[in-house]
Amino acid sequence: MSMSLRLLRDRIPGASTVLMLVVMLLLIAAVTEALGSTVLSRFAIRMFIDMTLVLGLQMFMGNSNILWFPHVGFMGIGAYASVIFSMSPLQKILSLPELYPFLADVNLPFLPALLAGALVAAAVAAVIGLPLMRLSDFPAVIAGFAMLIVIHAVLTHWEALTNGPQTLFGVERRTYVMNSAIWACVFVAVAYWFKESKSGLQLRASRDDLVSTSSIGVNIVAVRWFALVLSAFAAGIAGGLFAHFITSFSPKAFFLRETFIILAMLVIGGPATVTGAVLGTVIVTIVYQTLRWVENTLNIEQVFAQPIAGLTDITLAVMLIGMLILRPAGIFERREIGWQALRALWPWTGADAAPEPAADPQVVRKAAETKQRR
Amino acid sequence: MNEAIRFIVDVASLGSLYALMALGLVLVYGILRLVNFAYGELIMIAGYTLYLLSGSPLPWLVMAACAVVAALAASVLTERVAFRPVREKSLTAMLITSFAVSTLFQNAALLFISPRARLVPLPDLFSESIVIGGMLFFVRELLAIVVSISMLVLFTALLNRTVLGIALRAAADNFRMTRMLGVPANLVIGVAFAISGFLAGIVALFWLGRTASVMPGIGLEPLIVAFVATVLGGMQSLVGAVVGGYVLALMTVGINTFLPQALVDYRQAFTFSLVILILLFRPEGLVRGK
Amino acid sequence: MLELKDVHAQYGAIVALRGVSIHVAEGDLVGLLGANGAGKTTTLLTIAGVIKPSRGEITFRGVSLAGLPPEMIVRKGIAMVPEGREIFPTLTVQQNLRLGAFIRRNRVEYRHDLEEMGELFPILGERMHQSAGTLSGGEQQQLAIARALMSRPRLLILDEPSLGLAPRLVDQVFRLIARLRREGMTILLVEQNVIQTLRIVDRAYLISMGQVEMSGTPEELKRHVDMESVYLGATVAARGGGQGRGAP
């Protein structure tokens, strides 16, 4: 088979994955728009924002297998930065009275402000994340956790830029169903492209066997760093979309609870695949919003003497633990949806048309991890 | 002079608690390489046990014993139910599980008790103070020092004199070899979680004693403290964890005493930037050796 | 006594066993020879229950060892002296030996065995309360063997006990192994030091690429294989060179 033919063959199933996911997301967006329900469109927007965030997390954590905490911190940076770029000078006097003069007059339209905010998040990640990229295992996790706390502390105390621990209000609503859906679609493509790119393959190889990858000359620090910057950019976009959707928020929105939710989405779907990130977000959103609705209804009807809280997170935690015990690689494990996967489901093609998964890299990874541990 | 003594007592009482917390965390980490994010929730569980018993006619010491047992039981139970099934799978799976367990406990408290703080019963002794050499001391602080140091002595004896203790140390050093000598993995891990829970329970009594209340989010701060102390001490060594606890207390009290308020706000940011720097440049901790 | 039948196993992504069959009879001293990465250590770790075989069968005294975790294998009477010794450096010599006897409950017997180890290894007897990390390489090797013996095993498995030791100490270790065998211990010895090994074993297996290439008495092996050329690393070891540890 010639080189170009092989490339074509390799690309088409990938294109089909991206295409299917994008069509699905746009369909969800279109149906939501057509129904015109405010409640439903709020769910959908929240889902697309979370999806952007989860896809960003997938790019770094899914490919490197490092449990990564600072992600929502970068979301927070993107949220505050985009607001500083987009808010009108008049509103800033009310909302951010202590803002530095050189920022007070900045007033960009939404899209440039969103991009600029995401660039700030990516730049911060690039600088403070770089030294962490050579860590692995526990030190990487704990340093990431420390970094989330540092970011959170700075967001909470840098009153000039964030209004401190108080709510920042007066942000204009700019995020709607369609533009949030489009951003989710963009990052479906970016995440897929990255996963299949040379860097993505190297990063995944490092996940499977760190030693042998660095011994064949892959600069793992550089590859990880690139993934981190991309992932923080996605988090920044998600943060900007979130800020211009919710319109008033405080640093609390970007801490451990949100981290838990996006981790649940990614892990339940399957961190190794883009399909897993997308459908994990969809599934968890449905479960989560349904339970929230139940919780709210119970509270409004005053079924219990006191308002109840925590039911949603308990269910999510149980789902997450159950998934890790029963199917630790998530629903989609290592398979992306695509023509081949669909053809396998198609009843008329017969069993022999089922795609033969290549040598299962998970076995190798498990073995490598077992080796490291005991 | 008096201020110096006051400073030392503050550091010693806070440091003793920090040391116990770090010990509980590093004991499990040494064997499983698991950072138990649910560790802080054990303190929360001990607190709610006290709260739930507060109406009962039991003497306080019995309530306290129940609280410690509850933390111990929760620790052993989470190991059995959540960690053991994912133990062989991957380190990341285990870490995410512990994060999920932490969320689970917190929200269970939210759902079944209340999002608001609840008072915990404390003995009168805790709010009393005594005068020694013309200086006023809180009995609670002195008690924390005495109890923590007895725990450390007890723990050291356990690790040096009993077969199980020796097995624990061996497992923290080389788990596979320890198993090959016939020490059951589940036994060592179970015991490590039990001791970890026990220490969390003891810490809880004094930790909650400071505010006399418990709420769902109360576990975060002790968890963070234990993390930092563990990193300071080098994460591998039990002695390091204890030293790390005291060093962190020295830093905390020092910052509170000597830095202007504006900078105290950023204390967490400073402490954690330090954690990152240590991980980068001295991953074996500030204190070398075992 | 120990029987491996067509054992397949995977260790990490690198070393695999592709059908290893080995037989060790009661009272035998059997050698397992091969170059670095041939699968010797993988074979031992599979016997020890650390690695689960993907195919094949391991039986010990007629009982299958399939699916048993490491802590149960030693209870069946198999003790392991691993490659690199793996003593616990922060524990004292006595504590190391105490753990060796973990599976035994009888205190009197333990005391007795502890004294016996002190006699068998006088250096250890002198240093009972010293931490094991302060011992020299040769002493640590003695400790690792003593620790294994403390479980009163029926079968003793030694993985490269001569590795990294000075020539004088290598002789000492081999004399010790020969002595244990004379006293009736069944031993499976993994070595790269082919010449010394063939001097003391009853039979030996030659492993290469995860398979048994040849087996027989030392005479048969010497007749059929040009040892020097096949195992260059082994000849270096025989001269006492301290070559680094290779892949398992």
Side-chain angles (χ1 to χ4, degrees), chain B residues 104-258:
Chain B
L104 185 67
F105 279 141
Q106 274 187 42
N107 284 282
L110 211 62
L111 181 64
F112 296 113
I113 299 176
S114 167
R116 278 191 292 273
R118 288 284 185 247
L119 285 182
V120 295
L122 291 172
D124 296 336
L125 200 62
F126 268 46
S127 44
E128 283 168 12
S129 48
I130 51 169
V131 179
I132 304 172
M135 285 184 65
L136 197 68
F137 293 103
F138 283 112
V139 176
R140 180 176 55 77
E141 286 199 339
L142 301 180
L143 220 54
I145 298 175
V146 173
V147 171
S148 302
I149 290 176
S150 345
M151 284 299 143
L152 290 178
V153 170
L154 189 78
F155 190 63
T156 313
L158 177 86
L159 286 182
N160 281 310
R161 305 252 175 264
T162 68
V163 181
L164 206 56
I166 297 170
L168 271 177
R169 285 169 65 199
D173 179 48
N174 184 340
F175 193 44
R176 188 176 86 183
M177 188 62 227
T178 311
R179 291 183 73 185
M180 287 205 282
L181 293 177
V183 182
N186 288 340
L187 175 75
V188 186
I189 295 168
V191 169
F193 271 90
I195 297 177
S196 176
F198 176 78
L199 292 175
I202 297 285
V203 167
L205 301 178
F206 295 100
W207 189 264
L208 301 167
R210 306 186 315 169
T211 56
S213 64
V214 56
M215 54 187 175
I218 195 139
L220 183 61
E221 201 190 335
L223 176 75
I224 284 176
V225 162
F227 273 174
V228 180
T230 310
V231 172
L232 290 174
M235 304 183 307
Q236 297 281 9
S237 126
L238 298 171
V239 180
V242 173
V243 176
Y246 283 102
V247 170
L248 179 62
L250 182 70
M251 280 166 40
T252 311
V253 177
I255 288 174
N256 284 343
T257 315
F258 301 117

Side-chain angles (χ1 to χ4, degrees), chain B residues 25-155:
Chain B
L25 196 72
V26 88
L27 193 61
V28 168
Y29 174 73
I31 294 171
L32 273 188
R33 296 293 177 273
L34 162 70
V35 201
N36 190 0
F37 283 96
Y39 185 61
E41 275 61 48
L42 300 175
I43 289 175
M44 179 200 83
I45 286 170
Y48 278 115
T49 310
L50 276 183
Y51 159 71
L52 292 174
L53 292 172
S54 59
S56 72
L58 298 170
W60 186 80
L61 270 180
V62 177
M63 291 189 215
C66 291
V68 173
V69 169
L72 188 155
S75 180
V76 172
L77 201 71
T78 48
E79 189 276 317
R80 184 67 197 83
V81 175
F83 296 135
R84 193 175 296 181
V86 297
R87 200 167 77 203
E88 305 286 330
K89 284 168 185 155
S90 87
L91 193 62
T92 306
M94 209 153 60
L95 287 167
I96 298 174
T97 303
S98 86
F99 192 48
V101 169
S102 158
T103 307
L104 185 67
F105 279 141
Q106 274 187 42
N107 284 282
L110 211 62
L111 181 64
F112 296 113
I113 299 176
S114 167
R116 278 191 292 273
R118 288 284 185 247
L119 285 182
V120 295
L122 291 172
D124 296 336
L125 200 62
F126 268 46
S127 44
E128 283 168 12
S129 48
I130 51 169
V131 179
I132 304 172
M135 285 184 65
L136 197 68
F137 293 103
F138 283 112
V139 176
R140 180 176 55 77
E141 286 199 339
L142 301 180
L143 220 54
I145 298 175
V146 173
V147 171
S148 302
I149 290 176
S150 345
M151 284 299 143
L152 290 178
V153 170
L154 189 78
F155 190 63

Side-chain angles (χ1 to χ4, degrees), chain A residues 65 67 69 131-132 134 138 142 145-146 149-150 157-158 260 267 309-310 313-314 324-325 328 369 373-374, chain B residues 29 31 35 37 86 89-90 92 95-97 100 103 107 111 175-176 224 227 235 265-266 272 276 279-280:
Chain A
N65 201 29
L67 174 56
F69 279 98
L132 262 63
R134 62 190 174 87
F138 169 82
I142 208 79
F145 187 77
I149 289 178
V150 172
H157 294 294
W158 201 338
F260 170 70
V267 171
D313 290 51
I314 291 178
L324 284 166
I325 292 173
E369 273 170 358
R373 246 331 277 142
R374 39 187 80 87
Chain B
Y29 174 73
I31 294 171
V35 201
F37 283 96
V86 297
K89 284 168 185 155
S90 87
T92 306
L95 287 167
I96 298 174
T97 303
T103 307
N107 284 282
L111 181 64
F175 193 44
R176 188 176 86 183
I224 284 176
F227 273 174
M235 304 183 307
D265 281 348
Y266 280 99
F272 277 90
I276 295 172
L279 286 169
L280 288 173

Side-chain angles (χ1 to χ4, degrees), chain A residues 80-133:
Chain A
Y80 281 104
S82 69
V83 168
I84 289 172
F85 288 124
S86 77
M87 194 179 262
S88 71
L90 212 59
Q91 182 65 43
K92 277 176 184 160
I93 296 170
L94 294 170
S95 301
L96 288 166
E98 292 172 46
L99 190 62
Y100 306 114
F102 74 97
L103 288 172
D105 292 330
V106 179
N107 187 8
L108 297 179
F110 175 57
L111 189 62
L114 183 68
L115 288 169
L119 282 175
V120 171
V124 172
V127 174
I128 65 175
L130 178 60
L132 262 63
M133 293 299 105

Side-chain angles (χ1 to χ4, degrees), chain C residues 175-248:
Chain C
R175 274 202 302 276
L176 174 69
I177 294 168
R179 178 178 161 190
L180 289 171
R181 182 230 179 292
R182 275 198 306 279
E183 288 169 5
M185 179 70 72
T186 313
I187 299 173
L188 178 60
L189 171 65
V190 168
E191 263 299 338
Q192 278 191 54
N193 192 333
V194 177
I195 295 159
Q196 294 252 42
T197 307
L198 287 184
R199 231 172 256 158
I200 60 168
V201 295
D202 299 306
R203 282 180 318 109
Y205 291 84
L206 231 158
I207 291 198
S208 139
M209 310 284 281
Q211 279 172 318
V212 174
E213 196 148 275
M214 172 170 279
S215 67
T217 62
E219 290 71 33
E220 287 169 342
L221 283 174
K222 277 181 193 158
R223 215 176 307 136
H224 288 100
V225 189
D226 177 8
M227 292 292 170
E228 300 269 330
S229 69
V230 179
Y231 299 109
L232 198 62
T235 55
V236 175
R239 290 191 204 114
Q243 81 274 39
R245 241 188 293 165

Side-chain angles (χ1 to χ4, degrees), chain A residues 164-223:
Chain A
Q166 294 96 354
T167 302
L168 173 67
F169 58 90
V171 184
E172 254 183 275
R173 169 89 189 262
R174 291 290 182 169
T175 305
Y176 302 100
V177 174
M178 264 308 161
N179 64 352
S180 59
I182 287 169
W183 276 112
C185 292
V186 167
F187 282 105
V188 165
V190 172
Y192 196 90
W193 163 80
F194 176 72
K195 184 182 156 226
E196 299 298 325
S197 73
K198 192 170 157 233
S199 305
L201 284 170
Q202 288 171 339
L203 195 57
R204 284 193 279 160
S206 80
R207 170 185 68 191
D208 295 334
D209 193 342
L210 193 64
V211 183
S212 63
T213 320
S214 44
S215 68
I216 56 169
V218 173
N219 184 349
I220 200 63
V221 171
V223 175

Side-chain angles (χ1 to χ4, degrees), chain A residues 11-349:
Chain A
R11 285 289 153 79
I12 286 171
S16 76
T17 303
V18 173
L19 203 67
M20 273 184 200
L21 291 174
V22 165
V23 166
M24 187 193 82
L25 295 182
L26 292 179
L27 215 66
I28 294 175
V31 169
T32 314
E33 287 277 41
L35 290 174
S37 147
T38 325
V39 179
L40 198 61
S41 55
R42 288 190 78 85
F43 286 0
I45 294 171
R46 199 58 224 260
M47 182 179 87
F48 291 130
I49 294 172
D50 282 338
M51 197 176 288
T52 306
L53 197 58
V54 171
L55 284 164
L57 188 63
Q58 195 280 331
M59 281 189 260
F60 184 74
M61 185 177 144
N63 291 316
S64 70
N65 201 29
I66 295 173
L67 174 56
W68 188 238
F69 279 98
H71 199 61
V72 293
F74 298 127
M75 177 198 189
I77 294 174
Y80 281 104
S82 69
V83 168
I84 289 172
F85 288 124
S86 77
M87 194 179 262
S88 71
L90 212 59
Q91 182 65 43
K92 277 176 184 160
I93 296 170
L94 294 170
S95 301
L96 288 166
E98 292 172 46
L99 190 62
Y100 306 114
F102 74 97
L103 288 172
D105 292 330
V106 179
N107 187 8
L108 297 179
F110 175 57
L111 189 62
L114 183 68
L115 288 169
L119 282 175
V120 171
V124 172
V127 174
I128 65 175
L130 178 60
L132 262 63
M133 293 299 105
R134 62 190 174 87
L135 300 176
S136 294
D137 289 343
F138 169 82
V141 175
I142 208 79
F145 187 77
M147 185 173 282
L148 175 63
I149 289 178
V150 172
I151 295 174
H152 182 71
V154 171
L155 290 181
T156 311
H157 294 294
W158 201 338
E159 302 222 352
L161 291 180
T162 68
N163 202 26
Q166 294 96 354
T167 302
L168 173 67
F169 58 90
V171 184
E172 254 183 275
R173 169 89 189 262
R174 291 290 182 169
T175 305
Y176 302 100
V177 174
M178 264 308 161
N179 64 352
S180 59
I182 287 169
W183 276 112
C185 292
V186 167
F187 282 105
V188 165
V190 172
Y192 196 90
W193 163 80
F194 176 72
K195 184 182 156 226
E196 299 298 325
S197 73
K198 192 170 157 233
S199 305
L201 284 170
Q202 288 171 339
L203 195 57
R204 284 193 279 160
S206 80
R207 170 185 68 191
D208 295 334
D209 193 342
L210 193 64
V211 183
S212 63
T213 320
S214 44
S215 68
I216 56 169
V218 173
N219 184 349
I220 200 63
V221 171
V223 175
R224 274 189 189 162
W225 185 67
F226 180 60
L228 170 71
V229 174
L230 262 185
S231 118
F233 184 80
I237 292 283
L241 291 172
F242 173 80
H244 292 83
F245 161 63
I246 210 98
T247 69
S248 59
F249 56 92
S250 73
K252 271 194 297 223
F254 315 107
F255 204 37
L256 292 172
R257 182 150 191 266
E258 184 65 20
T259 302
F260 170 70
I261 293 170
I262 61 167
L263 268 180
M265 289 171 168
L266 183 59
V267 171
I268 288 174
T273 61
V274 178
T275 311
V278 169
L279 294 178
T281 310
V282 174
I283 291 164
V284 170
T285 303
I286 292 170
V287 172
Y288 196 79
Q289 297 293 3
T290 311
L291 284 166
R292 275 273 294 275
W293 177 80
V294 170
E295 219 176 63
N296 286 339
T297 314
L298 289 176
N299 286 343
I300 291 167
E301 304 284 325
Q302 297 187 323
V303 177
F304 299 101
Q306 285 186 339
I308 56 164
L311 191 63
T312 46
D313 290 51
I314 291 178
T315 315
L316 208 52
V318 171
M319 268 173 74
L320 182 54
I321 296 170
M323 186 56 101
L324 284 166
I325 292 173
L326 301 173
R327 205 177 160 97
I331 297 174
F332 288 89
E333 298 196 319
R334 303 226 159 190
R335 235 162 294 168
E336 302 278 5
I337 62 163
W339 300 142
Q340 296 204 325
L342 271 200
R343 220 168 43 199
L345 293 174
W346 202 250
W348 293 283
T349 47

